[in-house]
Amino acid sequence: ILASLSIWGWGGLGVVLFLVTFGPFAIFYLAFYIFCFIGGGFAVTLLYGKINSEKHLEKCEHSYLPPTQIGILKTLDEMKLEMKPIKIDRRLTGSSFIDEPLQQVIQFALRDYIQYWYYTLSEDESFLLEIRQTLQNALVQFSTRSKEVDWQPYFTTRLVDDFATHLRVFRKAQDRLADREDKQRDITEELVDSFFEAEVEMERKICRDVVCTSHKDEEGFLRDLCELLLYLLLPPGDFHNKNMRYFLREVLARGVLLPLINQLSDPDYINQFVIWMIRDSSCNYEAFMNILKLTDKPAELEAVKDKVLEELQYLRSLDTAGDDINVIKNQINSLLFVKKVCETRIQRLQSGKEVDALKLAANFGKLCVIPLDHILVHNIALQFFMDFMQAAGAQAELFFWLTVEGYRVTAQQQLEAMQVWQRDGKKQPSATKGLLKAAALGVYEQYLSDKASPRVQVDEVSVTKLGEKLQKDDPTPEIFDEIQRKVYDMMLRDERYYPSFKQSPLYVRMLAELDMLKEPSYRGSDDGDGESFNGSPTGSINLVSRLQFPLQGVCNDHGKTYALYAITVFRRNPDGSEDCWKTYRRYSDFHDFHMRITEQFENLASILKLPGKKTFNNMDRDFLEKRKKDLNAYLQLLLNPEMVKACPTLIPYVYDFLENKAYSKGKGEFARKIDTFVNPLRSSMRNMSNAVKALPDSLAEGMTKVSDNMGRMSERLGQDIKQSILKVPPLLPKSDIDPEHCRVSAQLDDNVDDNIPLRVMLLLMDEVFDLKEKNQWLRRNIKNLLQQLIRATYGDTINRKIVDHVDYLTSPEQVADYVKKFRDSYWPNGILAETPPRRDKSIRMRTRVAAKTNLLGIMPDELKHIIGADTTRKGILRVFDMFQYQPMNRRLVYVFLEGFLETMFPQYKFPELFVKLHSRSPTEATGPTRHTQT
């Protein structure tokens, strides 16, 4: 015990002395020194063992593996001999026109998407050459396949059907959005959602919402599609090379297709493309003002207003004198007018006081009165009156009147033909009188007999008298005139019909279609500027105080004699002074001017009457004096304050005509001669021709063709009338599916001629202008007019011309031009184009206005006469609005791409493949269910 205590005692004493001597941290130092000693010994041992091991291994290698430097060098030399350059055949399509720019595209794509990073990994070019060879093999297969395809059905039917169906889906989405009351979200998001819901109802098995709205899913879709195309185009060996396949897939999907789709679906790019496409047409001032008054986008108006202010500031800064100052004043007044229109429209939109122009005109406007006899012979007006009479239950009276008009014309033609046969001593067809009597009895049975349903309400005495006459005598063209006159008087005077029609909303809509509603006035409001503003685009013309109109004399120019009129113009300035100048005009100048303004302002045609031409003795003094007075009255009417107030946009034309300068004719002499010849006939023949055109086809056909079946003609007549009344398409098969939920091509009428242009035009017009809402009467008239237009223009060679045009579009020269444009667009001057910065919002808004103006300006007046001015404007603006949403544009691009691939590879089941590729859409699964519940 004493020994153990002594050990612990001495040990404790040592520890205490150690801590006193070296301090409390000495224990840590000691441990650290011990650790370093052990670690250093371990490191020395490891290093020594490594050196000895390497020496040992080196001895073993030299002992058991003798050097073979000669064999290795020989193998390397043989490998170098085997590395011969790969020869690439630069022929791709068989056409040097296409191959040259296509090879440049391949070279640029490899350089900018692969070479820039590949050379940092390896200098071996064999991999790049293999990729190039693979790409070229795919292009050769693609070119070979495209030559075997008949592209005519795709361009003339499938492409148009896809566009028209896309437009139908957009229209349905707009209608659905207008019916919704809870508009809490952004209207753009709601419209896009409604659009793809309508697409599910239309397509039933497919919805492209995920691909068009999700960037990630779109890239996945393009990768799958490119891999599928590589499988079809590449040899099996190249396709199973994963590295090469993935490289090509990424280059095609992300380097080519995705940027191309982004550009084609950009609304601003589409608007610029529209302007470029119709760049040759002059800007229509009336169309521009209509766009400003119809737009519901304050941003567009603000952008136009900013540009107007910029131009005003520039014009006011100019230091001019003399004649130039008058031109600048006119420009300033025009800009002030545009500025006032923009400000007024912005104020209405921001205050929420925007109202329907039709309701405004119906409640507060003074409406034009169109006589009943004019309504009955005008296609557009007749359509609205027909709808009103149907609602009033008096459709039988209207159709009786129209049918009798057609019967009278046809009977007169047949009787005149019979008289010619008798005069020439030819044998008279025995069936002609029988056909006329059968047609007359058919009209009687359809409208006047006791079996008629509905029956025309006229006095029984007249009906009985007519029935007896039909049984005893041969029918004459005038046999129905007495009852027809009574029916007309009843429609004219009965308060239920024409008087009530003039007070109905349908009458206001009719005036809008005829472009006869008065525009809202912008006069009388303060514009805030120091300069005077009188509400017209060029204020100086309103200050013309008087005109002097003497006959200057008769001139002779290269054997052509004509009268020259001197017009002295007096213009009162704001300070009270007067300017005076003299200008000289020929009658042909007046004629050209009249044609210009009546084309731009259709309503003036019924007000302004230009003195007519005289074929003989047109240089007679009395005749020239009378013409001078008539031309003076013509100009005075144009300068009437009420006329200026009603048509402010007419003033620049008048001012241009009265300026002291040589008049530049806008119409050629041939056009003026045709107008002189046609106009007198047009007014006298329009009523009769429209009445005959508006009749059901079967009546006219029954009169001109010999038929043995009398009852069938009468029955067919009744069916046509009922179809027109009830708006039932004549030859559409019955189906449980709503036509609005089908593709457009599924609803083509069977009775449309097998004529591709006609089918395409009807298809587009139905969807663009929503003609299905019109009655069958108007649709049949449009069809007849289009048939006449096409046949008169092209005759029976139209299909051949279509084929030739498609061949031209797919010719090597044109395809080469497409490739060059693609190359120059993506690689201008051989350098990869950078992503262009997004243009300023104000510029994009002004581009929208310019595109809408150009679209509205190129619409021919004949189209407005056929379907109506208001319908034309709405249809054009609907097409424009459809292109202002990028997700919808992407959908249209993908639809075109899918149709192209289905046409390119008909032997493969691409429709089923696309259904699978789009199967990730949640709308596809829920859409039909939601529609069923709705």
Side-chain angles (χ1 to χ4, degrees), residues 221 239 284 309 387 408 450 490 522 612 697 708 720 765 884 912:
F221 172 80
F239 178 78
N284 190 313
L309 293 175
D387 290 341
R408 182 189 302 110
D450 296 334
M490 179 178 60
Y522 293 91
D697 298 335
D708 296 330
D720 279 344
M765 290 187 69
Q884 304 312 306
E912 298 178 8

Side-chain angles (χ1 to χ4, degrees), residues 418-474:
M418 291 170 59
Q419 292 174 0
V420 172
W421 291 331
Q422 292 175 356
R423 187 173 61 249
D424 296 341
K426 296 181 180 180
K427 185 178 179 180
Q428 177 180 335
S430 58
T432 303
K433 289 186 177 181
L435 281 174
L436 288 176
K437 189 163 187 176
L441 288 173
V443 175
Y444 178 83
E445 293 291 335
Q446 183 70 34
Y447 297 103
L448 301 173
S449 68
D450 296 334
K451 299 178 181 179
S453 178
R455 188 170 185 263
V456 175
Q457 301 300 318
V458 291
D459 61 282
E460 292 296 334
V461 176
S462 299
V463 174
T464 304
K465 183 179 178 181
L466 175 63
E468 294 175 352
K469 187 181 296 186
L470 286 173
Q471 295 296 331
K472 295 179 180 179
D473 305 330
D474 291 333

Side-chain angles (χ1 to χ4, degrees), residues 82-132:
E82 292 179 358
M83 294 178 58
K84 297 180 180 179
I86 300 176
K87 294 183 179 180
I88 297 180
D89 190 355
R90 300 182 65 85
R91 293 175 298 177
L92 298 174
T93 64
S95 172
S96 59
F97 296 105
I98 305 175
D99 291 349
E100 182 179 352
L102 200 56
Q103 286 288 354
Q104 293 179 344
V105 170
I106 295 174
Q107 179 63 38
F108 293 155
L110 291 176
R111 180 195 67 190
D112 294 327
Y113 292 110
I114 295 179
Q115 290 180 3
Y116 83 95
W117 59 263
Y118 177 77
Y119 283 133
T120 63
L121 303 177
S122 173
E123 296 181 357
D124 187 7
E125 295 189 356
S126 59
F127 176 73
L128 298 177
L129 294 176
E130 290 288 347
I131 288 182
R132 187 185 187 105

Side-chain angles (χ1 to χ4, degrees), residues 108 142 202 238 286 483 490:
F108 293 155
F142 184 85
M202 188 79 65
D238 291 340
E286 185 181 8
I483 296 182
M490 179 178 60

Side-chain angles (χ1 to χ4, degrees), residues 34-48:
I34 294 173
F35 174 76
C36 290
F37 176 76
I38 296 174
F42 180 77
V44 171
T45 304
L46 183 63
L47 181 61
Y48 176 77

Side-chain angles (χ1 to χ4, degrees), residues 812-835:
E813 293 79 6
Q814 285 299 110
V815 175
D817 188 54
Y818 305 150
V819 177
K820 290 177 182 178
K821 289 179 179 178
F822 175 80
R823 177 199 63 192
D824 296 338
S825 176
Y826 277 81
W827 291 278
N829 299 321
I831 301 174
L832 182 65
E834 298 180 357
T835 302

Side-chain angles (χ1 to χ4, degrees), residues 134-152:
T134 304
L135 270 176
Q136 294 195 172
N137 289 337
L139 288 173
V140 169
Q141 292 294 327
F142 184 85
S143 173
T144 303
R145 180 60 201 153
S146 64
K147 294 176 183 178
E148 299 173 355
V149 175
D150 181 13
W151 291 105
Q152 180 187 348

